[in-house]
Amino acid sequence: MASSVKHFCTICEYDGISNTAVIWCTECEVFFCGDCEKTHSKSGLSKHHKTMSADNYKKLPTFMQQISSQCRDHNTMIGFYCSFHACPCYVECVTDKHKKYQDIV
């Protein structure tokens, strides 16, 4: 089901600018306008990232749009998954909140 929500460039929004997003980076998990996408696609750290058009992102089911590779508590790339809590977690989470659970992968 396509969403009618208009997405704005995440980078431009940091500067208070509302440029319409044209792509979604599946690895950075942010939207980019045309200008920011050019920079993102040329950067050594992100030039090989997988992206999709903002229009195709809107067509994804809501549950897929909510999937994140970032730890909810530490805003860091996950390294583990706790099947008891059904959530991704960072190494600090394992020692903070998940250490008594055996279902960490």
Side-chain angles (χ1 to χ4, degrees):
M1 182 167 127
S3 170
S4 61
V5 174
K6 185 174 183 178
H7 293 284
F8 296 101
C9 175
T10 306
I11 305 304
C12 290
E13 281 188 319
Y14 293 148
D15 292 330
I17 302 167
S18 297
N19 286 333
T20 302
V22 295
I23 67 152
W24 166 257
C25 177
T26 61
E27 296 182 48
C28 294
E29 298 180 350
V30 297
F31 287 100
F32 292 104
C33 65
D35 290 339
C36 291
E37 187 273 333
K38 287 177 188 172
T39 302
H40 178 260
S41 67
K42 293 177 185 176
S43 172
L45 296 174
S46 59
K47 66 182 174 185
H48 298 294
H49 284 187
K50 304 293 185 245
T51 61
M52 67 171 36
S53 74
D55 289 336
N56 283 343
Y57 178 86
K58 290 179 199 177
K59 294 175 187 174
L60 293 173
T62 303
F63 79 91
M64 289 184 77
Q65 292 180 12
Q66 294 173 342
I67 295 172
S68 177
S69 62
Q70 301 285 319
C71 170
R72 290 179 242 176
D73 297 328
H74 297 98
N75 199 27
T76 307
M77 291 295 282
I78 63 161
F80 301 98
Y81 181 82
C82 178
S83 57
F84 180 82
H85 290 112
C87 69
C89 54
Y90 178 61
V91 69
E92 288 179 22
C93 297
V94 174
T95 57
D96 292 348
K97 294 171 34 177
H98 304 275
K99 62 183 166 189
K100 68 180 179 178
Y101 302 104
Q102 301 299 315
D103 299 327
I104 302 290
V105 291

